[in-house]
Amino acid sequence: MCTAITYSSGNHYFGRNLDLEYSYQETVTVMPRNKPLTMRSLPALQSHYALIGMAFVVDEVPLYYDAMNEKGLGMAGLNFPGNADYRPVEEGQKNVASFELIPWILGQCGTVAEARRLLSDVNVTDLAFSEALPPSPLHWMIADAKESIVFEQTQQGARVYDNPVGVMTNNPTFDYHMTHLADYMQVSSAAAENRFAPSVDMHAYSRGMGGIGLPGDLSSASRFIKVAFTKMNSLSESTEAESVTQFFKILGSVEQQRGCCRLGEDKDGEPICEITIYSACCNLERGIYYYTTYNNSRITGIDMHKEDLDGTALVCYPLRDTQDIYMEEQTK
């Protein structure tokens, strides 16, 4: 499962946790403007906005998990099993395979408003990338500096939701999560007050008791509530370092540790566990993609504008996935 958020502090930021039980050897991948984007059912985009994001690259095709473009629009696909409903190619529709949707939107749209218009007649098709890579059931969060939306295609059809909290997780559908928020509107970051029985002498015995009731489990509904509370109450200085640090702290409030979400056992009897494979933070104004991995908590940044964005070839950065521990020199 996964969590995506937006955050504003000086600049505007967009990113996510990728929670999964395995890695596809993904890389931070820059797709320059003149790398053709071939489509299964639509004409290829011979030129487009430049992109940077996390992708599994197969035969020079970047299968993006999340990305942003040079105009400051970000987009992420999150797991949506049992609800995502992909369809056969339909006449009169913009037929886009699920693995094409992120680069297709980001390649043409500079704002959420433009993305909303492009999505108005999209049909997400059931075409597989290959026999070995069938379609993943997804829904998508899209954000710029001004607003955020969620796009879902279910059996009820395609729908675009306004996303005023700038948060998304997984199942159920987005409208459920927004309704579920109301169950926690009494929770506060302020000190707890005695509303239970004002005539009874009760006092808070600990800091943080205003947040009692916030969920702490790893289900998608609980992560939505927890990360929304954390994000919407977060404060940081407006410098890049402070803002990026705070962004990763927010994602850290719902990260998954190995052993806490078990999915069964492998052939050797070892537990299969879902973990936070990586966390990502995109500075939408500056075009910098930051990330950490499960095995390396040091923040690594890649600036798309330091690449040749008029080029024709992908640029891939393998992830730095070994823990980087600074050891102090011992004094004599």
Side-chain angles (χ1 to χ4, degrees):
M1 299 299 190
C2 307
T3 303
I5 64 169
T6 60
Y7 184 62
S8 296
S9 173
N11 287 154
H12 297 85
Y13 302 87
F14 171 80
R16 58 97 57 82
N17 286 343
L18 179 81
D19 303 327
L20 210 57
E21 65 272 24
Y22 48 79
S23 169
Y24 280 108
Q25 304 305 311
E26 49 277 342
T27 60
V28 178
T29 301
V30 178
M31 187 177 187
R33 301 179 186 116
N34 296 310
K35 165 70 173 175
L37 174 59
T38 58
M39 305 288 293
R40 296 294 174 89
S41 305
L42 293 174
L45 297 180
Q46 297 299 328
S47 62
H48 48 76
Y49 294 137
L51 279 64
I52 184 171
M54 196 70 74
F56 174 39
V57 179
V58 185
D59 298 329
E60 287 299 304
V61 178
L63 306 177
Y64 280 108
Y65 306 170
D66 53 81
M68 67 175 163
N69 66 20
E70 61 183 295
K71 295 296 184 179
L73 186 66
M75 184 170 179
L78 279 69
N79 203 24
F80 198 42
N83 280 307
D85 185 57
Y86 302 153
R87 313 224 174 133
V89 172
E90 296 181 10
E91 194 70 30
Q93 295 281 89
K94 294 188 180 79
N95 294 289
V96 182
S98 57
F99 59 86
E100 300 171 327
L101 191 61
I102 288 178
W104 187 72
I105 291 290
L106 296 184
Q108 303 177 86
C109 301
T111 64
V112 166
E114 291 177 4
R116 191 193 300 268
R117 288 193 292 270
L118 199 59
L119 288 167
S120 63
D121 57 352
V122 159
N123 172 45
V124 182
T125 69
D126 56 8
L127 296 175
F129 180 80
S130 66
E131 186 175 342
L133 293 170
S136 297
L138 302 172
H139 58 172
W140 293 267
M141 179 170 161
I142 307 171
D144 60 19
K146 295 182 178 179
E147 60 180 324
S148 173
I149 59 174
V150 168
F151 175 69
E152 296 178 345
Q153 184 171 293
T154 66
Q155 287 187 343
Q156 285 70 48
R159 183 167 179 183
V160 175
Y161 296 93
D162 291 327
N163 185 353
V165 295
V167 165
M168 192 172 83
T169 56
N170 311 101
N171 292 327
T173 54
F174 184 74
D175 54 342
Y176 168 86
H177 290 296
M178 290 302 297
T179 300
H180 189 211
L181 273 177
D183 293 344
Y184 297 90
M185 60 184 178
Q186 81 285 354
V187 175
S188 172
S189 60
E193 297 181 22
N194 178 13
R195 295 188 178 94
F196 182 84
S199 61
V200 178
D201 187 21
M202 289 189 284
H203 302 280
Y205 53 81
S206 172
R207 295 178 180 180
M209 290 177 65
I212 287 178
L214 280 173
D217 63 89
L218 297 175
S219 68
S220 57
S222 292
R223 281 184 286 107
F224 189 98
I225 298 298
K226 180 65 183 298
V227 81
F229 175 84
T230 306
K231 174 224 160 159
M232 299 191 82
N233 286 283
S234 282
L235 300 172
S236 70
E237 298 296 331
S238 60
T239 66
E240 183 74 350
E242 292 278 354
S243 300
V244 171
T245 296
Q246 187 72 348
F247 191 97
F248 282 104
K249 294 296 184 184
I250 297 168
L251 286 178
S253 70
V254 290
E255 68 182 358
Q256 300 203 24
Q257 297 79 28
R258 181 173 284 113
C260 295
C261 181
R262 303 192 182 203
L263 307 175
E265 296 181 347
D266 63 18
K267 58 183 177 58
D268 298 319
E270 294 297 320
I272 300 171
C273 300
E274 183 169 276
I275 62 172
T276 299
I277 301 285
Y278 72 83
S279 301
C281 169
C282 302
N283 183 318
L284 296 176
E285 278 91 352
R286 296 176 61 185
I288 301 175
Y289 189 98
Y290 300 95
Y291 73 88
T292 62
T293 72
Y294 190 87
N295 296 315
N296 186 7
S297 53
R298 180 176 183 173
I299 298 171
T300 300
I302 298 157
D303 186 343
M304 71 184 299
H305 294 289
K306 292 186 177 180
E307 301 297 335
D308 178 11
L309 297 186
D310 286 322
T312 59
L314 297 178
V315 180
C316 298
Y317 290 85
L319 300 192
R320 297 179 180 270
D321 198 30
T322 301
Q323 189 63 272
D324 188 355
I325 299 175
Y326 178 79
M327 294 297 296
E328 290 283 3
E329 295 292 331
Q330 302 300 119
T331 59
K332 293 183 179 181

